[in-house]
């Protein structure tokens, strides 16, 4: 079969140039490789040559250039067992190996060279296979004729491949560096990984001449891959997820790989899918997916090397950014935790200057945290607390177990009573480098203790009233029987007139006083709860309106103004209307007496509303009278206790009111209003209590 001669002639005219000059001035493989092929044929006497580059990923040999061949087959060559043994022997001996009968010994190579004999020149670097140069012969030469020249030709090809590799690596590093500089500049400006990855995708898309570039980031907690960025922002929706173990998703498959891969749907595809795993120091970070990459014949290895280098550089940047985000998130969580502490916290150095304070401390002293930094802590504390901290700082060294010291102090600068604890701030070597001061405001605790004491007093009062009620009920029942007998006989005497006329006035006095005693006994029975309630659905506003209508003439006579604040949508309550009427009548009359004691006109304010919980009705009666003496507040609902003059009150009105409200499952509270006068608050359940 005739060989092409134009390549040989072109190469022959240029091959006269020194090899070193060719290596120095040739910038691309297309310029230099024809000269090297020509040189190899000249020194070996061969008729054609074929250069294979070794693919370390698959072990295949990829034909990348040839000389004096009609057809260059660029599909990968995976030698069979016999051919692989011959090639392995050549690399093991590191010398040119002559195959005298290629049709029998290496049929695949014979089909590519179309010669009966071939000389194999192994190309390696420090034990690593780089490629294989095969020189075809029409007639098998003797080994002595070609060995010296073949070694020289192999060295020339190795030098050229090394040179191209270095130049390619330099170009790749420059392109990758420019892309990553743009990427890192975006990260530095925004600290936003997604925005930086968008810029990276656009640049990588240009670098690989792909149709689309996407970056998927591994979400370890959800075990998903998340589409974080893409060069195509129109057709691709960011945030799409695929399972990390999805065997049908290229991004998920690549996550478990260690190097870039070319994935083609079929042999007829013009473009390919390239996946690049992103791997950090200890974990998988994600995947780069290049879609629509046009792979040149023989350029697969360079493409994958370029993809791997880009993946390594991006992995480093992504891992650093994720670590930075982790640090920032941890710091934000610590800051939020620090500021969420309601106690006042300040950290000072060994000089006593502020290093850090929480928001509660800054708010209490009325300054911004930035303004407090590096200022003496003592300037923002009272003299007593500041002096105590100074003495603590100058005290002898303490063990770690005894490093916390506590004092209770009222600080005028911090405005309140505090329980202050100071603890040594220790560094990594457990050496003190400052102090941590925690001040717990005791004001809520003091308020809580006061409320607890008030509740204790109310409970004591309720217990006293309950015990007194039982006692009074027994006495009232015992008194009621003889009183009714006395009243019956007196009524009989009055009817029959069986007594001297001169005793009629005295008899009338006796009857009136006995009847008064009977009324007192009946009121005592009401207070003790002995009267059975007759529950009905009652409008509280209606009861109050009847009470005020009854007392309107008296109010006009003494100049009392009545102000009503009724809730028009007030629910009805289950109660005894007569007893409920008595409750508010007693309260209104007490308000009248309190206003009359001032000697001036006054005002009674009555309001009704529903409690925030929605299960109780609240009614308040406030007056502008003299108020309730402080020493009387705890006893005002006791039977027979009165603040009125002798003969003007029995001391049973509020006691009966208290008993009625209790029987209805409610509560009554008496207090002095801040603007003067007394205020009584009655709470009644909307629905009757269980068992009532």
């Amino acid at each position: 079969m005739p060989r092409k001669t134009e390549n040989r002639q072109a190469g022959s005219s240029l091959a006269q140039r020194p090899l070193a000059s060719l290596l120095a001035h040739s910038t691309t493989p297309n310029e230099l490789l024809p000269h090297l092929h020509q040189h190899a044929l000249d020194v070996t006497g061969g008729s054609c040559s074929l250069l294979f580059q070794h693919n370390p990923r698959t072990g295949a040999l990829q034909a990348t250039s040839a000389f004096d061949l009609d057809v260059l087959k660029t599909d990968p060559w995976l030698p069979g067992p016999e051919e692989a043994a011959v090639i392995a022997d050549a690399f093991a001996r590191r010398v040119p190996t002559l195959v005298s009968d290629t049709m029998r010994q290496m049929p695949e190579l014979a089909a590519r060279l179309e010669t009966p004999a071939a000389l194999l020149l192994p190309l390696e670097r420090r034990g690593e296979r780089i490629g294989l140069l095969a020189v075809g012969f029409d007639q098998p030469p003797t080994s002595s004729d070609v060995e010296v020249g073949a070694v020289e030709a192999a060295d020339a090809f190795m030098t050229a491949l090394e040179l191209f590799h270095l130049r390619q690596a330099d170009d790749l590093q420059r392109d990758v560096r420019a892309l990553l500089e743009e990427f890192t500049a975006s990260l530095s400006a925004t600290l936003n990984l997604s925005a930086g990855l968008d810029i990276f995708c656009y640049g990588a898309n240009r670098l690989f001449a792909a149709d689309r570039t996407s970056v998927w980031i591994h979400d370890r907690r959800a075990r998903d891959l998340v589409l974080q960025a893409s060069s195509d922002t129109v057709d691709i929706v960011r945030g799409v997820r695929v399972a990390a173990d999805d065997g049908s998703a290229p991004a998920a498959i690549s996550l478990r790989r260690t190097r870039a891969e070319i994935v083609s749907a079929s042999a007829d595809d013009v473009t390919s899918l390239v996946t690049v795993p992103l791997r950090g120091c200890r974990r998988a970070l994600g995947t780069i997916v290049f879609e629509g990459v046009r792979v040149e014949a023989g350029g697969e290895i360079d493409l994958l090397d370029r993809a791997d280098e880009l993946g390594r550089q991006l992995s480093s940047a992504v891992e650093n950014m994720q670590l930075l985000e982790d640090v920032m998130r941890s710091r934000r969580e610590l800051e939020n935790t620090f500021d969420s502490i309601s106690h006042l916290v300040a950290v000072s150095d060994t000089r006593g200057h502020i290093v850090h304070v929480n928001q509660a401390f800054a708010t209490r002293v009325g300054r911004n945290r930035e303004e407090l930094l590096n200022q003496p802590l003592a300037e923002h504390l009272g003299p007593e607390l500041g002096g105590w901290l100074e003495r603590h700082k100058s005290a002898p060294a303490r063990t770690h177990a005894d490093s916390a010291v506590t004092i209770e102090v009222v600080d005028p600068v911090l405005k309140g009573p505090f329980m202050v604890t100071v603890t040594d701030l220790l560094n990594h070597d457990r050496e003190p480098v400052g102090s941590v001061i925690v001040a717990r405001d005791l004001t809520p605790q003091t308020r809580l203790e006061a409320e607890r004491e008030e509740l204790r007093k109310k409970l004591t009062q309720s217990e006293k009233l309950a015990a007194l009620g039982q006692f009074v009920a027994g006495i009232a029942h015992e008194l009621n029987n003889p009183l009714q007998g006395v009243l019956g006989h007196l009524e009989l005497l009055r009817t029959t007139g069986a007594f001297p006329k001169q005793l009629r006035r005295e008899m009338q006095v006796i009857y009136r006083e006995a009847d008064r005693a009977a009324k007192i006994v009946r009121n005592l029975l009401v207070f003790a709860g002995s009267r059975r309630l007759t529950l009905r659905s009652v409008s509280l506003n209606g009861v109050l309106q009847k009470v005020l209508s009854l007392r309107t003439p008296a109010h006009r006579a003494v100049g009392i103004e009545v102000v009503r604040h009724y809730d028009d949508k007030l629910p009805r309550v289950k109660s005894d209307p007569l007893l409920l009427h008595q409750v508010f009548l007693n309260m209104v009359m007490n308000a009248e007496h309190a206003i009359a004691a001032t000697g001036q006109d006054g005002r009674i304010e009555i309001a009704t509303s529903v409690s925030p919980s929605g299960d109780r009705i609240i009614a308040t009666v406030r007056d502008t009278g003299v108020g309730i003496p402080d020493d009387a507040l705890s006893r005002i609902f006791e039977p027979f206790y009165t603040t009125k003059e002798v003969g003007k009150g029995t001391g049973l009105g509020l006691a009966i009111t208290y008993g009625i409200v209790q029987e209805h499952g409610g509560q009554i509270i008496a207090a002095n209003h801040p603007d003067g006068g007394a205020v009584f608050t009655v709470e009644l359940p909307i629905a009757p209590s269980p068992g009532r």
Side-chain angles (χ1 to χ4, degrees):
M1 182 175 201
R3 301 282 176 190
K4 289 186 177 180
T5 58
E6 60 272 21
N7 288 341
R8 181 183 291 272
Q9 292 170 355
S12 178
S13 64
L14 295 172
Q16 305 302 320
R17 296 169 60 186
L19 186 59
S21 176
L22 289 174
L23 293 172
H25 293 90
S26 298
T27 58
T28 65
N30 291 334
E31 288 183 11
L32 180 58
L33 287 178
H35 304 307
L36 296 181
H37 281 288
Q38 176 66 64
H39 177 72
L41 297 183
D42 290 342
V43 298
T44 61
S47 58
C48 62
S49 59
L50 181 57
L51 176 64
F52 295 95
Q53 285 187 255
H54 180 254
N55 188 341
R57 304 167 189 268
T58 63
L61 291 171
Q62 183 76 48
T64 57
S65 66
F67 195 79
D68 264 0
L69 287 179
D70 291 327
V71 178
L72 175 62
K73 297 181 179 180
T74 58
D75 56 307
W77 173 30
L78 283 170
E82 294 182 359
E83 292 177 314
V86 176
I87 295 173
D89 180 64
F91 276 100
R93 293 189 297 111
R94 299 182 181 178
V95 295
T97 300
L98 179 63
V99 181
S100 57
D101 187 357
T102 55
M103 293 297 294
R104 181 179 60 82
Q105 295 175 277
M106 305 186 74
E108 178 65 23
L109 181 60
R112 292 173 182 265
L113 285 175
E114 299 180 351
T115 59
L119 183 66
L120 305 182
L121 282 68
L123 308 178
E124 66 172 4
R125 177 182 61 237
R126 293 184 292 277
E128 178 186 359
R129 293 187 184 186
I130 302 301
L132 180 70
L133 178 63
V135 179
F137 291 87
D138 294 328
Q139 296 294 329
T142 61
S143 299
S144 59
D145 294 337
V146 299
E147 185 173 346
V148 176
V151 172
E152 179 186 343
D155 291 342
F157 269 93
M158 271 300 304
T159 303
L161 292 177
E162 283 287 321
L163 177 63
F164 293 146
H165 177 74
L166 291 174
R167 288 177 180 173
Q168 186 182 40
D170 184 62
D171 293 341
L172 173 61
Q173 288 291 342
R174 184 173 58 254
D175 294 339
V176 172
R177 191 183 307 113
L179 175 58
L180 289 176
E181 284 177 355
E182 189 177 7
F183 170 63
T184 54
S186 173
L187 289 183
S188 301
T190 64
L191 291 180
N192 187 320
L193 181 60
S194 296
L197 288 176
D198 281 337
I199 293 176
F200 170 85
C201 286
Y202 288 123
N205 212 52
R206 295 193 304 268
L207 185 61
F208 281 79
D211 292 339
R212 179 188 295 141
T213 302
S214 305
V215 175
W216 298 75
I217 297 299
H218 184 212
D219 185 347
R220 290 182 299 150
R221 293 183 179 178
R223 297 182 180 179
D224 287 341
L225 277 167
V226 184
L227 180 58
Q228 197 78 23
S230 174
S231 60
D232 184 359
T233 57
V234 177
D235 299 328
I236 297 298
V237 179
R238 181 181 298 170
V240 175
R241 290 176 176 264
V242 297
D245 56 357
D246 187 348
S248 63
I253 296 173
S254 177
L255 186 68
R256 297 185 289 273
R257 302 289 191 262
T258 58
R259 304 188 70 175
E261 292 182 343
I262 298 175
V263 182
S264 297
S266 66
D268 298 332
D269 284 348
V270 178
T271 60
S272 299
L273 181 76
V274 179
T275 59
V276 187
L278 301 176
R279 304 195 66 84
C281 294
R282 293 175 295 176
R283 64 190 182 191
L285 302 175
T287 304
I288 309 174
V289 178
F290 296 98
E291 300 177 55
V293 179
R294 291 155 183 82
V295 183
E296 297 180 0
E300 291 89 346
I301 298 175
D302 292 338
L303 174 69
L304 293 176
D305 287 343
R306 187 162 69 249
D308 275 334
E309 179 62 24
L310 187 66
R312 282 191 294 270
Q313 296 291 345
L314 181 61
S315 296
S316 177
V318 169
E319 187 169 38
N320 289 338
M321 189 63 192
Q322 288 181 344
L323 290 174
L324 178 60
E325 288 179 347
D326 290 343
V327 171
M328 293 178 64
R329 182 170 57 254
S330 298
R331 178 169 181 175
R332 284 195 299 269
E333 290 174 353
L334 289 174
E335 287 283 351
N336 293 338
T337 302
F338 193 57
D339 284 335
S340 298
I341 299 174
S342 59
H343 303 330
L344 280 57
V345 183
V347 181
S348 64
D349 56 19
T350 54
R351 301 173 301 160
H353 286 201
I354 296 175
V355 176
H356 200 25
V357 297
N358 68 343
Q359 189 60 45
F361 187 97
T363 302
R364 183 58 66 99
V365 300
R367 303 284 294 276
N368 293 329
R369 285 193 291 185
E370 292 74 13
E371 298 175 353
L372 294 173
L373 297 182
N374 208 31
Q375 291 191 10
L377 178 61
E379 293 182 359
H380 304 282
L381 303 174
E384 181 181 355
L385 182 55
W388 179 74
L389 291 177
E390 187 65 29
R391 292 191 297 274
H392 172 81
K393 184 175 65 173
S394 59
R398 292 168 296 276
T399 62
H400 179 63
D402 300 331
S403 61
V405 183
T406 301
I407 185 177
E408 186 173 340
V409 62
V410 177
D411 194 279
V413 177
L414 298 181
K415 305 179 184 67
F418 289 89
M419 182 71 71
V420 181
T421 301
V422 58
T423 309
D424 291 336
L425 177 66
L426 305 178
N427 62 10
H428 183 71
D429 297 326
R430 313 303 295 172
E431 298 173 346
V433 293
S435 300
V436 180
I437 297 93
V438 180
R440 181 166 63 92
D441 192 351
L442 298 179
T443 303
Q445 180 178 342
T446 304
R447 187 183 304 115
L448 182 62
E449 290 177 352
E451 293 175 355
R452 186 183 295 115
E453 179 63 21
E454 182 66 22
L455 290 175
R456 188 190 64 78
K457 289 181 179 179
K458 289 182 179 179
L459 179 61
T460 302
Q461 183 184 27
S462 297
E463 292 175 347
K464 286 166 57 179
L465 290 175
L468 186 58
Q470 294 178 357
F471 174 71
V472 167
I475 295 178
H477 278 294
E478 293 298 327
L479 290 176
N480 190 50
N481 292 330
L483 279 175
Q484 292 301 322
V486 170
L487 287 172
H489 285 82
L490 288 175
E491 184 65 28
L492 181 62
L493 290 174
R494 290 174 59 194
T495 303
T496 60
F499 53 85
K501 290 184 179 180
Q502 60 270 24
L503 297 178
R504 184 175 298 173
R505 183 184 300 274
E506 286 75 6
M507 185 64 66
Q508 194 70 23
V509 172
I510 294 172
Y511 182 84
R512 185 173 60 250
E513 292 302 318
D515 185 57
R516 181 169 177 267
K519 289 181 180 179
I520 291 175
V521 170
R522 287 196 296 272
N523 287 336
L524 287 175
L525 290 174
V526 171
F527 164 76
S530 298
R531 185 183 184 278
R532 193 171 190 83
L533 296 179
T534 304
L535 296 179
R536 290 166 47 192
S537 179
V538 178
S539 169
L540 183 60
N541 290 343
V543 172
L544 289 171
Q545 195 61 31
K546 290 180 180 179
V547 170
L548 294 178
S549 298
L550 183 65
R551 301 302 301 170
T552 297
H555 295 162
R556 290 175 181 171
V558 296
I560 295 177
E561 177 188 6
V562 177
V563 180
R564 301 169 179 85
H565 300 287
Y566 294 161
D567 185 348
D568 295 335
K569 298 181 180 180
L570 201 68
R572 299 171 75 86
V573 296
K574 291 289 186 179
S575 68
D576 187 319
L578 294 178
L579 294 181
L580 202 59
H581 186 279
Q582 185 175 354
V583 166
F584 288 102
L585 180 61
N586 286 341
M587 293 168 60
V588 169
M589 293 182 66
N590 279 344
E592 295 171 7
H593 296 159
I595 294 173
T598 63
Q600 300 177 353
D601 295 345
R603 184 176 69 256
I604 297 176
E605 295 181 5
I606 299 179
T608 60
S609 61
V610 179
S611 67
S613 61
D615 61 343
R616 302 174 78 83
I617 290 178
I618 300 175
T620 59
V621 178
R622 183 210 163 186
D623 62 66
T624 57
V626 294
I628 305 171
D630 292 339
D631 58 349
L633 276 174
S634 60
R635 302 183 58 193
I636 197 166
F637 294 115
E638 292 182 5
F640 308 111
Y641 179 80
T642 180
T643 58
K644 299 176 183 178
E645 297 177 8
V646 177
K648 291 189 176 182
T650 62
L652 287 175
L654 288 179
I656 293 170
T657 298
Y658 181 90
I660 294 173
V661 173
Q662 289 288 314
E663 280 294 301
H664 280 78
Q667 63 176 347
I668 181 170
I669 301 172
N672 284 315
H673 196 276
D675 297 333
V679 56
F680 286 81
T681 302
V682 176
E683 294 185 11
L684 295 171
I686 292 177
S689 301
R692 295 285 179 186

